[in-house]
């Protein structure tokens, strides 16, 4: 048995003195200082459980540090199977696997403390709003290197489009009047600058920053980072919009006549080419979560496409007016759409029923572009202003997080990956503004690295090519390939249906040893008849399943006395 | 705006670039799933690549040891030196090999007629051979002078001896022939003789864990178990066809596997001999020899169909098949004690060395290499049931004669199945019962 405590201090909150029967307990009176009070409060707040332990023994090595449940949720791989498995052997096996998953989740969540950079933010007093803070104020309050990220380029060749490379280091500009330029926007080093002497409709980086694609007046051209034309792809003509799918090495494009094509740039082959029958679709974006292409047309319908399936994977009527822009967030959870009626809707792209949020924008013109940042801020282009909303998907935002007036009309914009920067292509040039908190502060160097060296880039290219995902795997749920393939009822019925159109098997009745002069005609006949009958029986069984009428569980509407006048359905023969 | 707080991402390049060119690149990681999209398809592609690479690198043949002038009849592993191997041939010659340099270190004619079997003593100083001339000769493994070339001990058996096995620790060994005999080195007469029936035994093996136990295969299709502390044999299982060789699982003392004439191997549990715990099929001819890996999880079997197959202990079909154009009927197989190599002796005078895992890289792995291999291993396991990956992983080229034999066996099996089904359909319900494959091959168990 343990010895009782021989030293006791006064409790601070209850001033009542406890009666001590033990004689040998020393009692000290102490003055409650502020520090002790603070300690006490802290203990009360956090160490509810600890009291239990103290009754036993103070643990010297209390084990691993607790994990933030939010982080755990972020890395979660689903709920697990629960008690669905009947066979004890498989239950044990799956349990083991799930333990591994759990361990991986925990490790990933723990690794978060190793992240070095913090997310950006912009905070003001409660009575002020962040909306009013201008770029000038921001430039004055941040460090010099960050301040250099605010800049403006005045260029002469009409509305500009801008796109950042995947690691956020390089910027590509293409203008309606043929001006094409690429540069490292951080060091402001120009790679090349040419005028293609044709209109440029869309531009895109390919998998690395040495190759770009430009959709020109007639055909698609590929240039390298010195401006040399590498390819002219005449099979892809009159392209309106392009998107590059980096993990599949596919350049997805839609042209003026509604033909969609997916060009595998690693082998130069078109893996999908068909007309979408949606009319002119000037709005296009990709869903980075599952690499499907989202198209918006003038009827307000958003459709999702994959290269190997010629029908849309899903169609949603988002607006009753023509669509002006679509944006999908990085995790593939939310889709923002805007229509000519100046409304902005946020959708849950995974279940597609009803908009989560419906905003009516107060402006004189409809939004021309939308874009989600890596940290789920939504930028909206309204005429000559850019408004950035934070946290507008899960809750209704009543005012923008930031607003920036350009003084010239906005053509398109992109958030720079891994930076708090929004690059805006305008009617006469390019403007880069800072949006604190929009970018992911910690990059994964094996995925995309802004500080990549040439050699690293080459190695990463080879690796990426080895891991090129085949286009057939573009589906709505990217985890389809990891799930158990259970034939659905529909598949089963289809298989049965196929059986109806089969011919009965031919029976080969050549005897192993020929009996000369004897032919066993009757026996052959019997066998053949038997096989035929078997087959017919099978078909009848199949027909029964296929033709099984859906059960009418819905009770008929009753009209009371007038029921006798309701026409009775004829029994089918 | 007095109390405005702004923070913007602003990275210092020095934190992300290496200091000197000799340094390694800095690779900050972030495991946030939103930065790693399309996990499923990417892993699938990686698994596909891994399984393809495994097939590309599957080059199991390392080399051969030639020198025998007749077929190799038996092999023996040195108990504590990996590079030493002893082999006996049909012409009575014994050769000792240095596997590292693939050279013969010593050769001599030991017996008249076959060298039936070989075994090392547990300390590895000596090895014992039995031959057709009814002699049991013990030799020194390392020779220094002339005397060492002569056998240190020669025992003369009254009857034919066809197999030998050494006790794990004690200076006792067992031979088989007309009966199972226990010998001590110091005595010229067998210490004990076990007899059950009159038929001859052709293989005997001591259990290396439960060291008092030994088992032998008899030519009356039976497998006999003995405990050498007792006076008589323990048990006997009679199979449909004769078993050629037997190997004890070195990790699970109660399990042994026999190589049978009926093209199959059977794993038995000593405690329950009525039926084998597993039937390992795939060979297309009689299985001649079997040897367990030191992990006890796999075993290798050599067959009369000129192929070597590797089986996993718990699975019914082989994991891999090795063959070459020139390799003839297998006579003996051994799995090396470092679990990395397989040694096979065959009719056409050669001993061949194989890798136990066909695509494994030999030599030291760097840590990054090892992690990469472990990762691809895990991926292969994760996606092993995907039809494409399964197909690639399972596909093996086999010689034409094996292919044809496989087809033939398949048709025979189908025919039997069909016939049984027909009989079942046309007889009284219950008259033709369903019999499990495992129960078919054991005739009876005697005590």
């Amino acid at each position: 048995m343990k010895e009782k405590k021989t030293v006791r201090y006064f409790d601070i909150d209850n001033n009542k003195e406890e009666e001590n029967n033990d004689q040998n307990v020393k009692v000290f009176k102490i003055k409650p200082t502020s520090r002790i009070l603070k300690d006490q409060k802290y203990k009360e707040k956090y160490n509810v459980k600890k009291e239990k332990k103290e009754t036993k023994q103070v643990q010297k090595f209390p084990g691993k540090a607790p994990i933030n449940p939010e982080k755990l949720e972020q890395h979660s791989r689903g709920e697990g199977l629960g008690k669905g498995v009947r066979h004890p052997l498989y239950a044990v096996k799956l349990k083991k696997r799930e333990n591994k998953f759990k361990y991986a989740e925990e490790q990933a969540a723990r690794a978060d403390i190793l992240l070095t950079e913090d997310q950006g933010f912009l905070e003001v007093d409660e009575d002020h709003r962040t909306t009013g803070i201008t770029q000038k104020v921001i430039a004055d309050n941040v460090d010099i290197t960050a301040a250099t990220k605010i800049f403006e380029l005045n260029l002469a060749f009409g509305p500009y489009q801008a796109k950042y490379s995947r690691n956020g280091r390089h910027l590509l500009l293409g203008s309606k009047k043929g001006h094409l330029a690429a540069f490292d926007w951080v060091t402001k080093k120009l790679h090349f600058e040419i005028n293609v002497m044709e209109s440029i409709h869309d531009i895109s980086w390919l998998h690395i920053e040495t190759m770009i694609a430009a959709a020109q007046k007639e055909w698609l051209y590929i240039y390298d980072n010195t401006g040399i034309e590498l390819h002219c792809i005449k099979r892809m003509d009159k392209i309106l919009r392009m998107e590059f799918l980096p993990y599949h090495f596919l350049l997805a494009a839609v042209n003026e006549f509604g033909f969609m094509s997916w060009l595998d740039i690693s082998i130069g082959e078109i893996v999908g080419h068909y007309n979408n029958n949606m009319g002119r679709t000037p709005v296009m974006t990709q869903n980075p979560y599952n690499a499907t292409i989202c198209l918006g047309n003038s009827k307000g319908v958003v459709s999702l496409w994959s290269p190997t399936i010629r029908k849309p994977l899903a169609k949603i009527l988002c607006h009753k007016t023509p669509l002006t822009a679509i944006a999908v967030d990085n995790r593939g959870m939310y889709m923002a759409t805007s229509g000519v009626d100046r409304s902005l809707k946020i959708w849950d792209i995974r279940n597609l029923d009803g908009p989560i949020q419906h905003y009516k924008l107060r402006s004189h013109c409809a939004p021309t572009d939308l874009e989600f940042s890596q940290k789920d801020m939504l930028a909206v282009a309204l005429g000559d202003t850019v408004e950035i909303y934070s946290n507008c998907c899960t809750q209704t935002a009543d005012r923008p997080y930031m607003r920036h007036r350009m003084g010239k009309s906005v053509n398109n914009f992109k958030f720079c990956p891994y930076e708090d920067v929004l690059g805006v292509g305008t009617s006469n040039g390019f403007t880069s503004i800072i949006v604190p908190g929009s970018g992911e502060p910690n990059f994964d160097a094996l995925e995309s690295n802004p500080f990549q060296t040439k050699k690293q880039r080459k190695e990463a290219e080879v690796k990426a090519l080895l891991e090129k995902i085949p286009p057939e795997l573009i589906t709505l749920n990217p985890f389809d390939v990891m799930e158990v393939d259970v034939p659905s009822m529909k598949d089963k019925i289809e298989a049965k249906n196929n059986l109806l159109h089969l011919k009965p098997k031919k029976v080969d009745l050549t005897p192993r040893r020929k009996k000369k002069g004897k032919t066993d005609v009757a026996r052959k006949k019997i066998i053949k008849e038997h096989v035929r009958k078997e087959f017919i029986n099978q078909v009848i069984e199949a027909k029964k399943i296929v033709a099984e009428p859906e059960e009418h569980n819905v009770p008929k509407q009753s009209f009371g006395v007038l029921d006798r006048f309701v026409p009775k359905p004829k029994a089918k023969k | 705006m007095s109390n405005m707080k702004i923070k913007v991402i602003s990275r210092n390049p020095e934190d992300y670039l290496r200091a000197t060119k000799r340094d390694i690149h800095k690779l900050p990681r972030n495991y946030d799933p939103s930065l790693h999209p399309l996990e499923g398809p990417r892993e699938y592609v990686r698994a596909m690549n891994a399984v393809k690479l495994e097939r590309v690198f599957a080059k199991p043949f390392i080399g051969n040891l030639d020198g025998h002038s007749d077929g190799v009849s038996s092999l023996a592993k040195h108990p504590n030196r990996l590079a030493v191997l002893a082999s006996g041939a049909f012409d009575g010659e014994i050769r000792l090999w240095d596997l590292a340099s693939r050279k013969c270190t010593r050769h001599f004619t030991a017996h008249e007629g076959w060298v039936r079997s070989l075994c090392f003593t547990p300390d590895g100083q000596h090895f014992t051979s039995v031959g057709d001339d009814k002699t049991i000769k013990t030799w020194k493994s390392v020779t220094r002078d002339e005397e060492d070339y002569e056998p240190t001990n020669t025992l003369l058996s009254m009857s034919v001896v066809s197999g030998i096995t050494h006790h794990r620790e004690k200076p006792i060994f067992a031979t088989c022939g007309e009966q199972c005999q226990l010998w001590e080195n110091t005595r010229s007469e067998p210490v004990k003789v076990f007899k059950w029936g009159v038929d001859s035994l052709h293989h005997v093996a001591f259990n290396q864990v439960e060291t008092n136990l030994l088992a032998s295969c008899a030519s009356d299709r039976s497998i006999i178990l003995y405990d050498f502390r007792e006076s008589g044999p323990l048990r006997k299982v009679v199979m449909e066809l004769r078993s050629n060789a037997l190997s004890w699982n070195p990790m699970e003392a109660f399990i042994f596997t026999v190589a049978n004439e009926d093209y199959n191997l059977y794993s038995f549990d000593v405690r329950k001999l009525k039926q084998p715990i597993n039937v390992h099929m795939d060979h297309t001819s009689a299985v001649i020899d079997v040897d367990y890996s030191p992990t006890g999880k796999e075993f290798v079997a050599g067959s009369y169909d000129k192929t070597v197959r590797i089986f996993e202990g718990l699975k019914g079909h082989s994991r891999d098949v090795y063959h070459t154009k020139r390799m003839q009927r297998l006579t003996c197989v051994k799995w090396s004690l470092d679990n990395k190599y397989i040694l096979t002796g065959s009719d056409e005078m050669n001993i061949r060395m194989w890798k136990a895992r066909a695509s494994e890289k030999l030599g030291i792995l760097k840590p990054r290499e090892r992690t990469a291999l472990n990762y691809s291993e895990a991926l292969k396991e994760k996606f092993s049931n995907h039809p494409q990956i399964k197909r690639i992983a399972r596909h093996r080229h086999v010689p034409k004669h094996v292919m044809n034999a496989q087809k033939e066996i398949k048709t025979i099996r189908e025919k039997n199945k069909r016939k049984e089904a027909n009989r079942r359909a046309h007889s009284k319900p219950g008259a033709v019962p369903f019999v499990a494959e495992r129960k078919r091959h054991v005739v009876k168990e005697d005590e």
Side-chain angles (χ1 to χ4, degrees):
Chain A
M1 191 165 155
K2 266 197 303 180
E3 271 188 33
K4 281 185 180 175
K5 273 184 181 176
T6 52
V7 180
R8 184 167 295 165
Y9 300 96
F10 277 132
D11 262 359
I12 297 135
D13 10 78
N14 39 344
N15 295 324
K16 286 177 267 172
E17 256 192 58
E18 278 183 14
E19 289 290 320
N20 273 320
N21 297 334
D22 291 331
Q23 296 290 319
N24 52 352
V25 174
K26 282 184 193 170
V27 178
F28 291 90
K29 279 190 178 180
I30 39 167
K31 238 184 183 178
T33 59
S34 62
R35 195 179 144 197
I36 292 175
L37 278 173
K38 220 177 175 182
D39 260 0
Q40 187 75 9
K41 264 187 190 172
Y42 179 79
K43 273 181 191 169
E44 276 171 16
K45 204 174 173 187
Y46 292 104
N47 291 15
V48 188
K49 277 184 190 170
K50 216 172 183 181
E51 285 177 3
K52 268 187 198 168
K53 283 178 188 169
E54 274 172 359
T55 54
K56 291 176 191 169
Q57 208 173 12
V58 180
Q59 269 188 311
K60 204 173 179 187
F61 303 108
K64 285 176 183 171
I67 309 169
N68 186 358
E70 271 177 32
K71 288 283 171 200
L72 212 54
E73 178 61 34
Q74 191 188 4
H75 293 281
S76 161
R77 265 133 209 287
E79 284 170 357
L81 274 170
K83 288 182 178 176
V85 190
R86 272 192 213 151
H87 197 287
L89 179 70
Y90 291 108
V92 167
K93 273 187 179 176
L94 287 169
K95 184 78 202 159
K96 271 186 187 169
R97 263 185 69 178
E98 266 171 23
N99 285 345
K100 272 187 192 168
F101 285 140
K102 213 179 148 197
Y103 177 72
E105 270 170 32
E106 281 179 13
Q107 291 298 308
R110 277 184 200 287
D112 274 358
I113 57 163
L114 300 174
L115 301 180
T116 48
E117 300 277 340
D118 296 324
Q119 201 185 332
F121 57 82
L122 177 57
E123 280 172 9
V124 287
D125 291 349
E126 279 173 13
D127 46 344
H128 286 90
R129 288 172 185 174
T130 49
T131 318
I133 292 172
T134 59
Q135 289 299 311
K136 193 162 180 303
V137 176
I138 292 175
D140 291 342
N141 284 286
V142 295
D143 55 315
I144 329 167
T145 31
T148 57
K149 288 169 188 166
I150 303 176
F151 64 91
E152 197 171 347
L153 301 174
N154 285 317
L155 304 164
F157 293 92
Y160 273 86
Q161 277 207 328
K163 269 186 187 175
Y164 287 100
S165 66
R166 212 153 65 85
N167 58 14
R169 191 63 191 256
H170 303 272
L171 180 66
L172 182 63
L173 292 177
S175 83
K176 199 82 195 163
K177 288 174 189 159
H179 181 199
L180 188 65
F183 60 103
D184 182 339
W185 72 272
V186 180
T187 57
K188 314 283 190 297
K189 186 183 154 250
L190 186 70
H191 295 320
F192 76 95
E193 187 177 24
I194 52 170
N195 197 319
V196 297
M197 308 305 283
E198 263 182 343
S199 58
I200 293 179
H201 296 273
D202 204 354
I203 46 171
S204 177
W205 287 103
L206 296 189
H207 60 290
I208 42 173
E209 60 265 19
T210 55
M211 283 165 94
I212 58 162
Q216 295 178 17
K217 189 185 160 202
E218 282 296 325
W219 298 304
L220 174 74
Y221 289 81
I222 309 272
Y223 296 95
D224 77 348
N225 65 342
T226 54
I228 294 169
E229 182 189 317
L230 299 177
H231 300 285
C232 167
I233 296 154
K234 295 194 176 174
R235 280 175 300 170
M236 295 169 80
D237 61 336
K238 304 254 181 197
I239 283 167
L240 275 182
R241 286 281 167 266
M242 287 192 302
E243 280 290 338
F244 183 67
L245 311 172
Y247 295 105
H248 303 76
F249 284 81
L250 292 179
L251 186 68
V254 62
N255 78 356
E256 274 188 6
F257 317 109
F259 270 98
M260 304 188 68
S261 31
W262 280 262
L263 174 72
D264 189 330
I265 60 141
S266 62
I267 51 174
E269 214 168 72
I270 289 181
V271 293
H273 184 71
Y274 52 82
N275 197 330
N276 57 25
N277 297 324
M278 303 288 285
R280 192 181 146 92
T281 47
V283 187
M284 178 185 194
T285 188
Q286 66 165 300
N287 183 348
Y289 171 69
N290 55 13
T292 52
I293 294 293
C294 307
L295 285 181
N297 71 354
S298 54
K299 286 178 184 162
V301 176
V302 172
S303 45
L304 309 181
W305 298 87
S306 139
T308 45
I309 302 159
R310 279 163 174 257
K311 282 176 188 163
L313 300 173
K315 272 205 286 192
I316 326 139
L317 177 65
C318 289
H319 294 265
K320 286 174 181 171
T321 53
L323 281 171
T324 56
I326 312 176
V328 180
D329 85 322
N330 256 355
R331 287 173 295 161
M333 284 161 82
Y334 304 111
M335 177 172 74
T337 58
S338 65
V340 177
D341 58 349
R342 283 175 286 168
S343 67
L344 170 68
K345 290 180 185 176
I346 311 282
W347 305 79
D348 184 347
I349 201 166
R350 292 170 305 178
N351 55 25
L352 300 175
D353 36 71
I356 309 173
Q357 304 291 343
H358 187 173
Y359 298 101
K360 279 279 180 191
L361 297 169
R362 265 171 291 169
S363 75
H364 55 277
C365 60
T368 50
D369 201 2
L370 294 171
E371 171 82 2
F372 273 106
S373 83
Q374 279 177 320
K375 287 288 177 191
D376 284 350
M377 288 191 182
L378 180 67
V380 185
L382 294 164
D384 64 341
T385 52
V386 178
E387 287 186 350
I388 294 123
Y389 294 84
S390 76
N391 220 345
C392 63
C393 298
T394 45
Q395 60 203 55
T396 314
D398 47 356
R399 69 177 68 87
Y401 168 68
M402 280 185 71
R403 181 181 285 144
H404 182 69
R405 276 184 209 288
M406 299 281 179
K408 46 204 164 189
S409 68
V410 176
N411 186 39
N412 99 320
F413 48 56
K414 289 281 171 207
F415 276 104
C416 180
Y418 310 110
E419 291 283 356
D420 285 338
V421 165
L422 178 72
V424 189
T426 57
S427 56
N428 49 356
F430 172 80
T431 312
S432 169
I433 60 172
I434 287 184
V435 182
S438 68
E440 168 68 49
N442 295 292
F443 57 87
D444 190 306
L446 295 186
E447 200 73 49
S448 51
N449 184 358
F451 297 96
Q452 207 170 31
T453 60
K454 196 172 174 182
K455 194 156 186 199
Q456 279 179 314
R457 188 188 71 210
K458 284 178 177 171
E459 272 173 22
E461 188 186 8
V462 173
K463 271 234 145 132
L465 276 167
L466 278 175
E467 282 162 19
K468 186 179 79 170
I469 305 171
E472 303 87 63
L473 294 182
I474 301 181
T475 49
L476 275 186
N477 179 9
F479 288 93
D480 266 351
V481 74
M482 298 172 85
E483 272 159 23
V484 181
D485 186 21
V486 183
S488 62
M489 192 61 200
K490 198 180 153 200
D491 295 337
K492 280 182 193 166
I493 289 178
E494 239 166 51
K496 290 274 179 192
N497 261 333
N498 286 338
L499 194 66
L500 296 183
H501 305 295
L502 279 180
K503 278 183 182 172
K505 249 196 278 178
K506 259 196 177 174
V507 188
D508 184 25
L509 285 174
T510 43
R512 214 174 302 152
R513 285 183 213 90
K514 268 189 184 170
K515 289 174 188 170
K516 279 176 188 168
K518 284 183 190 172
T519 47
D520 206 347
V521 181
R523 206 178 60 94
K524 277 186 188 177
K525 220 177 185 181
I526 289 167
I527 292 176
K528 275 191 177 169
E529 194 66 9
H530 175 71
V531 171
R532 205 175 64 88
K533 270 185 184 166
E534 213 168 58
F535 182 77
I536 288 170
N537 280 338
Q538 261 184 354
V539 172
I540 289 170
E541 285 294 307
K543 264 185 188 162
K544 267 184 201 164
I545 290 180
V546 174
E548 230 170 74
E550 286 168 23
E551 283 177 30
H552 295 286
N553 288 331
V554 190
K556 281 174 191 166
Q557 204 183 351
S558 173
F559 301 97
V561 200
L562 302 171
D563 269 352
R564 58 194 142 146
F565 298 114
V566 175
K568 281 166 198 162
K570 275 179 190 174
K572 271 182 192 174
K573 279 172 191 175
Chain B
M1 297 284 160
S2 54
N3 278 334
M4 186 181 65
K5 275 198 219 163
I6 294 188
K7 183 179 179 310
V8 176
I9 299 169
S10 170
R11 298 190 186 89
N12 185 359
E14 275 177 16
D15 297 341
Y16 293 93
L17 296 173
R18 54 181 180 176
T20 63
K21 278 198 167 177
R22 302 213 169 163
D23 205 354
I24 51 165
H25 287 290
K26 286 178 180 169
L27 290 176
R29 301 298 313 271
N30 184 354
Y31 298 104
D32 184 352
S34 69
L35 294 183
H36 303 271
L38 301 163
E39 181 194 318
R42 282 168 80 188
E43 278 195 345
Y44 174 73
V45 172
R46 280 179 196 167
M48 185 72 103
N49 287 343
V51 79
K52 281 179 185 169
L53 283 180
E54 184 201 277
R55 287 289 87 216
V56 167
F57 291 128
K59 303 255 186 291
F61 184 68
I62 301 173
N64 65 339
L65 312 169
D66 60 340
H68 275 299
S69 47
D70 206 339
V72 182
S73 63
S74 58
L75 290 175
K77 302 181 268 193
H78 195 281
N80 38 34
R81 292 182 63 194
L82 284 174
V84 176
L85 178 80
S87 67
F90 290 128
D91 60 355
E93 191 187 39
I94 290 179
R95 276 176 184 260
L96 283 175
W97 303 90
D98 178 25
L99 294 179
S101 59
R102 289 180 217 167
K103 274 185 186 133
C104 177
T105 52
R106 184 178 152 204
H107 61 101
F108 53 92
T109 310
H111 296 279
E112 285 166 29
W114 293 23
V115 178
R116 284 282 175 175
S117 182
L118 281 167
C119 76
F120 274 95
T121 54
D123 58 357
Q125 299 285 328
H126 298 86
F127 62 94
T128 316
S129 65
V130 293
D132 270 353
D133 52 359
K134 296 188 191 173
T135 53
I136 304 162
K137 290 181 179 171
T138 308
W139 311 82
K140 276 200 171 175
S141 348
V142 185
T143 47
R144 293 211 174 72
D145 48 38
E146 282 294 309
E147 269 182 26
D148 293 347
Y149 289 103
E150 294 302 314
T152 55
N153 192 11
T154 307
L155 299 168
L156 209 70
S157 165
M158 299 305 285
S159 56
V160 179
V161 275
S162 56
I164 184 165
T165 176
H166 210 288
H167 190 273
R168 173 75 184 251
E169 292 129 6
K170 291 178 188 165
I172 295 174
F173 59 89
T175 59
C176 63
E178 275 173 23
Q179 61 259 3
C180 183
Q181 294 168 318
L182 271 176
W183 302 79
E184 264 179 44
N185 253 340
T186 49
R187 302 203 193 168
S188 58
E189 289 291 313
V191 186
K192 223 173 236 183
V193 177
F194 295 115
K195 204 166 183 190
W196 190 332
V198 283
D199 272 304
S200 62
L201 310 167
H202 50 263
H203 190 265
V204 65
F206 256 114
N207 192 332
Q208 298 295 301
V209 185
E210 201 57 61
T211 46
N212 298 320
L213 210 58
L214 71 159
S216 71
C217 305
S219 51
D220 66 343
R221 304 171 294 155
S222 64
I223 305 155
I224 307 171
L225 293 181
Y226 313 89
D227 187 330
F228 82 75
R229 295 166 298 187
E230 306 217 357
S231 54
L234 286 178
R235 266 151 199 256
K236 183 172 173 180
V237 198
V238 182
M239 312 278 294
E240 276 192 328
L241 287 181
R242 145 191 143 137
S243 305
N244 284 319
L246 182 146
S247 178
W248 288 96
N249 189 326
M251 282 303 183
E252 291 171 302
F254 43 85
I255 286 176
F256 65 88
T257 302
V258 291
N260 203 291
E261 281 281 310
D262 64 357
Y263 311 175
N264 296 340
L265 293 114
Y266 301 96
S267 290
F268 279 97
D269 191 327
V270 176
R271 301 165 295 186
K272 205 177 149 194
L273 288 167
K274 235 168 221 161
Q275 68 175 69
I277 51 170
N278 219 334
V279 182
H280 310 277
M281 300 176 170
D282 264 355
H283 273 299
T284 56
S285 188
V287 191
I288 304 295
D289 200 5
V290 58
D291 191 31
Y292 260 100
S293 78
T295 58
K297 288 192 170 170
E298 292 169 317
F299 57 83
V300 58
S303 157
Y304 207 63
D305 63 5
K306 304 177 188 173
T307 61
V308 181
R309 281 186 188 266
I310 300 169
F311 291 86
E312 283 169 58
L314 298 174
K315 293 198 175 146
H317 287 278
S318 64
R319 167 173 75 85
D320 214 335
V321 55
Y322 296 164
H323 54 85
T324 67
K325 236 179 196 174
R326 296 184 182 179
M327 189 166 69
Q328 295 302 309
R329 322 279 186 203
L330 271 299
T331 52
C332 42
V333 289
K334 285 278 178 271
W335 197 306
S336 80
L337 287 176
D338 60 348
N339 194 26
K340 275 193 170 172
Y341 306 99
I342 285 167
L343 297 151
T344 62
S346 45
D347 259 357
E348 84 320 326
M349 307 182 277
N350 268 342
I351 298 166
R352 289 189 168 76
M353 287 165 70
W354 310 83
K355 286 192 260 184
R357 280 164 295 277
S359 57
E360 192 188 33
K361 191 197 160 192
L362 295 179
I364 298 160
L365 289 177
K366 284 177 183 163
R368 276 171 72 186
E369 221 171 347
R370 182 171 294 125
T371 33
L373 285 175
N374 287 348
Y375 178 61
S376 56
E377 212 46 51
L379 280 177
K380 271 184 266 177
E381 204 265 315
K382 183 175 182 181
F383 288 91
S384 57
N385 284 321
H386 275 248
Q388 285 297 312
I389 287 171
K390 201 177 187 178
R391 187 183 63 86
I392 295 168
R394 280 187 51 198
H395 182 258
R396 297 285 182 281
H397 272 294
V398 284
K400 206 171 181 183
H401 68 273
V402 176
M403 188 79 167
N404 291 341
Q406 277 173 341
K407 261 188 212 161
E408 195 185 329
I409 289 170
K410 200 180 162 197
T411 36
I412 291 169
R413 200 163 285 148
E414 270 171 10
K415 180 216 100 186
N416 286 339
K417 217 174 169 186
R418 198 171 53 234
K419 189 171 180 183
E420 205 185 306
N422 284 342
R423 281 179 59 199
R424 192 169 290 128
H426 292 98
S427 48
K428 214 167 94 185
V432 186
F434 291 94
V435 183
E437 181 71 34
R438 287 174 193 185
K439 287 186 180 165
R440 283 184 185 173
H441 306 281
V442 175
V443 177
K444 61 173 178 177
E445 187 200 355
D446 287 346
E447 278 193 45

